[in-house]
């Protein structure tokens, strides 16, 4: 939702809700910017690397204004819709921590359980059309920055088809999660046996 206005997010949400599709709005661009800024500060010695995640989390909390701090946001009777819009990221796209919490909640509400063959983790797959930001979202979720070495980062590119194989990644701060990055371009095999000819 990096390129969508609040109005557009609202309209998409209405459409997806009518279609019965679960959805959230998240800005990989905004969250990556926070991570990169924290890493840059850590490299300059302005904060320790361990403080990096704390700074990103604190920035997340400061991004959304509360009704108490902004009289324009005050409403005599808060509506359920407003709460729902906030939870979906319509008014302000979700932060990294909010998205991860939503994924945990989704898995729990749909009966997903950790699998022993994946070290007791729940797998979350990123699937979709080519060049829509799947790898960018994964980079934010794993907390990787282009400005630091030694942290796994999946490749991103302007041209479709950069992700050429299935990749699994672990989140450093969420031991119960495993992310799966899938290529957006999958070319089917039309003939798998001589019987198909």
């Amino acid at each position: 939702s990096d390129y969508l206005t609040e109005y557009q997010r609202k309209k998409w949400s209405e459409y997806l809700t009518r279609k019965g599709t679960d959805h959230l709005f998240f800005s990989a661009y905004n969250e990556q910017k926070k991570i990169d800024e924290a890493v840059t500060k850590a490299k300059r010695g302005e904060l320790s690397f361990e403080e990096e995640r704390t700074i990103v989390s604190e920035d997340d909390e400061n991004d959304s204004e509360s009704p108490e701090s902004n009289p324009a946001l005050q409403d005599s009777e808060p509506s359920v819709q407003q709460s729902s819009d906030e939870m979906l990221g319509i008014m302000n796209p979700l932060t990294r921590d909010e998205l991860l919490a939503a994924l945990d909640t989704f898995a729990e509400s749909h009966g997903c359980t950790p699998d022993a063959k994946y070290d007791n983790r729940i797998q979350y797959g990123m699937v979709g059309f080519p060049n829509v930001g799947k790898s960018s979202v994964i980079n934010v979720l794993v907390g990787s920055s282009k400005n630091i070495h030694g942290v796994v980062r999946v490749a991103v590119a302007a041209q479709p088809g950069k992700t050429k194989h299935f990749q699994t990644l672990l989140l450093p701060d969420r031991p119960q999660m495993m992310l799966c990055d899938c290529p957006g371009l999958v070319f089917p095999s039309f003939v798998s046996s001589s019987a198909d000819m």
Side-chain angles (χ1 to χ4, degrees):
S1 60
D2 288 324
Y3 302 111
L4 299 177
T5 65
E6 180 181 340
Y7 175 79
Q8 291 168 324
R9 288 190 298 268
K10 179 100 174 139
K11 290 299 179 188
W12 270 110
S13 182
E14 290 169 1
Y15 171 78
L16 293 168
T17 299
R18 280 194 310 273
K19 293 289 187 183
T21 303
D22 292 324
H23 60 281
L24 300 167
F25 296 95
F26 172 74
S27 174
Y29 176 81
N30 290 342
E31 294 300 301
Q32 187 66 62
K33 191 171 157 184
K34 290 176 190 176
I35 292 169
D36 291 343
E37 286 172 1
V39 168
T40 300
K41 285 181 182 179
K43 280 182 151 185
R44 283 188 264 168
E46 294 174 25
L47 65 139
S48 70
F49 184 71
E50 290 77 30
E51 291 174 304
E52 174 189 334
R53 288 216 189 276
T54 306
I55 297 296
V56 171
S57 295
E58 287 172 1
D59 284 347
D60 293 345
E61 292 166 9
N62 294 333
D63 280 350
S64 57
E65 290 186 74
S66 67
E68 295 80 23
S69 67
N70 185 346
L73 295 176
Q74 290 179 356
D75 192 17
S76 57
E77 233 178 285
S79 68
V80 174
Q81 184 63 36
Q82 181 183 17
S83 174
S84 174
D85 286 357
E86 289 172 352
M87 290 182 349
L88 293 173
I90 293 172
M91 294 168 52
N92 293 305
L94 300 179
T95 64
R96 176 187 182 273
D97 288 336
E98 289 169 338
L99 178 60
L100 290 171
L103 290 174
D104 276 338
T105 302
F106 181 86
E108 186 178 309
S109 68
H110 287 79
C112 299
T113 56
D115 193 330
K117 70 180 177 183
Y118 301 114
D119 293 331
N120 290 317
R121 292 184 172 92
I122 296 175
Q123 290 186 311
Y124 295 86
M126 298 294 288
V127 295
F129 288 104
N131 220 33
V132 295
K134 296 179 295 294
S135 295
S136 295
V137 170
I138 284 183
N139 283 330
V140 168
L141 295 180
V142 297
S144 80
S145 170
K146 60 186 173 195
N147 301 327
I148 193 163
H149 301 289
V151 178
V152 175
R153 183 171 173 81
V154 295
V156 295
Q159 82 276 5
K162 180 65 178 174
T163 303
K164 295 190 178 5
H165 58 279
F166 185 82
Q167 306 172 70
T168 57
L169 298 119
L170 306 178
L171 278 70
D173 57 342
R174 302 285 173 131
Q176 77 280 14
M177 288 185 164
M178 175 187 285
L179 300 178
C180 302
D181 190 15
C182 304
L185 296 174
V186 179
F187 300 102
S189 172
F190 292 104
V191 180
S192 58
S193 70
S194 60
D196 291 335
M197 290 188 188

